[in-house]
Amino acid sequence: MDSNELQKIEKTAKNEVSGAKNLDELNDLRIKFLGRERGALTLVLRNLKNLPQEERKIIGKNANHLKILTEELFEKRGEELKKTEFDSILKKEWLDVTRPGAKIERGSLHPITLVRCEVEKIFSSMGFGVVEGPEVETEWYNFDALNIPKDHPARDLWDTFWLKPAQTGADGTRKVAENFLRNSASSLRSSALLLRTHTSPVQIRYMQSHNPPIRIIAPGRVYRYEATDAGHDIQFHHVEGLMIDKHISIANFKAVILELFKKLFGKEVKIRLRPSYFPFVEPGFEVDLSCIVCNAKGCPVCKKTGWSEIMGAGMVHPKVFEAVGYIPRNQQGFAFGIGLDRITMMKYKIPDIRLFHSGDLRFLKQF
Ligand code: DAH
């Protein structure tokens, strides 16, 4: 052991400590130079006792001095490394508290739902209740009770999805639903099942269980077995309406419907009644609405006529009153069926009815 060796230790310690890249490396170096068992300096100090006294004094002093120096080196480098590590954590975990939050994706209501809600609100404000009926109906409710007997040519107006009778032992829920539907028709009535072609059967169900005065709407899905195009789909939506009392007239109907469209489209509109045929009303008419796209000036949507056909309506037929057990003479009133898809298309200028069930998010996100 001589001073040279100490100088060597000092030099390598200085070099290596200042070159330590992180606290782990620094710790390894601390063990290498100052470790209690085998640290280079520790060994020097431990071996002092083997040196002759003179040498021991000098080397001992120098070694102790070097120990203090080395400890300072470690201290200093440790501080530096801690700071750089802290800085890099700061950089990595940097957070801009002024940055706007990430937007949570939110769904939106379907345009049909939007218009349906609006229609319900408007009718509610005029004292109408909102009721519903089943989408799987019996032939009697969908046709016979509405004065559309079997073999009557008028049936051709409604292209129907007929449902196969359930097989024996079929699943319980289906049985319960069928029994519910069939029990509500008497044994003389046809209980053949179908997907309702319009919401008019809800009129029948409601009148069977309520007496006049009646003021209801019945919105819902309806089905037709027909080819699709921009204006037709196999499933769409109707809003049925029914107002019955002692003296309800077509004048009442016109007032109610004008109020609906004025509120729905937010501007003055005109309506026009054209005579038409529906077996469950007499007289029956079709209602045209002045085209809201071009303000009745004439455009492709209204086929340059200024008018758009929007609903069927009429005064409830005595045969319908009979079917539900009313005495026909005792009351009168109007019924109507609005194409919900059609007015939604008009309101939002949607060119193709098939978009409604396309599931296309680019379409749906616009509402
Ligand atoms: N149910 C008819 C249809 O499917 C629409 C309709 C017309 C409903 C006249 C009515 C009405 O209540 O009185 O086209």
Side-chain angles (χ1 to χ4, degrees):
M1 166 65 59
D2 53 25
S3 325
N4 265 352
E5 202 163 329
L6 277 182
Q7 274 169 9
K8 232 160 75 189
I9 294 178
E10 180 177 351
K11 202 171 155 204
T12 39
K14 272 187 180 159
N15 263 344
E16 291 184 10
V17 167
S18 64
K21 286 193 202 62
N22 54 47
L23 288 170
D24 281 344
E25 257 184 63
L26 192 67
N27 212 29
D28 291 345
L29 290 173
R30 192 189 299 275
I31 293 167
K32 178 173 171 186
F33 291 104
L34 299 170
R36 267 198 224 163
E37 297 290 323
R38 310 202 46 79
L41 259 173
T42 316
L43 289 181
V44 171
L45 288 164
R46 195 179 294 156
N47 290 334
L48 280 178
K49 60 180 183 299
N50 303 328
L51 296 176
Q53 201 181 357
E54 271 310 299
E55 228 175 302
R56 193 191 312 159
K57 250 192 194 165
I58 300 167
I59 303 266
K61 197 173 143 207
N62 288 349
N64 270 319
H65 182 71
L66 180 57
K67 190 179 174 209
I68 293 167
L69 194 93
T70 315
E71 276 167 351
E72 280 173 5
L73 271 182
F74 274 107
E75 179 89 354
K76 202 175 135 236
R77 186 63 188 149
E79 288 302 316
E80 283 168 11
L81 285 175
K82 259 190 230 158
K83 190 173 175 310
T84 37
E85 277 188 20
F86 185 64
D87 284 349
S88 90
I89 289 173
L90 276 189
K91 215 185 236 171
K92 234 189 338 207
E93 297 181 2
W94 179 82
L95 185 69
D96 179 1
V97 291
T98 64
R99 188 177 151 169
K103 237 186 174 174
I104 297 170
E105 282 271 353
R106 288 179 64 183
S108 55
L109 290 177
H110 193 279
I112 298 267
T113 311
L114 288 173
V115 174
R116 173 180 164 161
C117 288
E118 227 171 302
V119 168
E120 287 180 7
K121 208 164 91 192
I122 297 167
F123 275 108
S124 299
S125 76
M126 292 189 275
F128 282 70
V130 180
V131 304
E132 287 190 349
E135 290 176 25
V136 173
E137 260 299 3
T138 67
E139 179 177 17
W140 188 80
Y141 279 102
N142 196 80
F143 290 125
D144 304 65
L146 288 159
N147 193 30
I148 319 168
K150 279 187 208 35
D151 308 323
H152 192 287
R155 278 234 181 159
D156 297 344
L157 294 174
W158 292 275
D159 308 281
T160 309
F161 283 108
W162 293 93
L163 301 177
K164 278 191 192 150
Q167 282 142 27
T168 37
D171 112 274
T173 44
R174 180 161 175 179
K175 272 267 169 292
V176 171
E178 280 179 8
N179 286 342
F180 163 75
L181 288 165
R182 290 191 166 127
N183 287 344
S184 47
S186 90
S187 54
L188 290 174
R189 298 168 178 172
S190 166
S191 59
L193 293 179
L194 46 79
L195 292 179
R196 67 177 178 193
T197 60
H198 49 180
T199 43
S200 301
V202 188
Q203 291 180 33
I204 305 296
R205 290 185 175 276
Y206 194 82
M207 285 192 280
Q208 276 182 329
S209 52
H210 298 79
N211 283 324
I214 287 173
R215 242 190 297 183
I216 52 149
I217 57 162
R221 223 182 268 273
V222 300
Y223 303 84
R224 302 254 173 110
Y225 179 57
E226 56 186 13
T228 61
D229 60 32
H232 298 86
D233 206 346
I234 56 165
Q235 54 172 320
F236 48 104
H237 305 78
H238 271 179
V239 181
E240 195 75 14
L242 183 67
M243 184 168 182
I244 310 282
D245 205 339
K246 290 219 159 2
H247 307 291
I248 300 298
S249 69
I250 295 175
N252 297 119
F253 168 75
K254 286 174 79 173
V256 165
I257 284 311
L258 266 176
E259 175 73 6
L260 166 71
F261 289 133
K262 223 189 288 174
K263 284 210 172 130
L264 190 64
F265 295 116
K267 55 183 174 190
E268 286 297 326
V269 288
K270 283 202 194 104
I271 57 169
R272 169 174 95 169
L273 308 192
R274 274 182 298 109
S276 184
Y277 173 69
F278 300 98
F280 32 92
V281 283
E282 180 59 38
F285 33 87
E286 230 143 337
V287 182
D288 294 339
L289 179 70
S290 55
C291 182
I292 61 148
V293 177
C294 62
N295 280 330
K297 290 192 183 72
C299 71
V301 173
C302 59
K303 300 196 187 90
K304 300 220 155 61
T305 61
W307 296 97
S308 288
E309 184 188 316
I310 211 124
M311 65 194 288
M315 298 300 287
V316 178
H317 199 290
K319 288 264 195 192
V320 173
F321 286 141
E322 262 173 32
V324 299
Y326 287 1
I327 298 167
R329 232 176 311 109
N330 287 1
Q331 66 285 304
Q332 64 180 37
F334 61 78
F336 59 83
I338 309 175
L340 192 52
D341 306 67
R342 193 164 288 182
I343 54 176
T344 306
M345 289 166 82
M346 289 185 77
K347 186 170 167 84
Y348 295 117
K349 309 198 169 45
I350 296 167
D352 193 319
I353 192 172
R354 292 167 295 188
L355 282 166
F356 288 135
H357 287 114
S358 62
D360 189 333
L361 290 178
R362 292 167 305 177
F363 169 69
L364 293 171
K365 277 185 170 166
Q366 297 177 49
F367 300 93

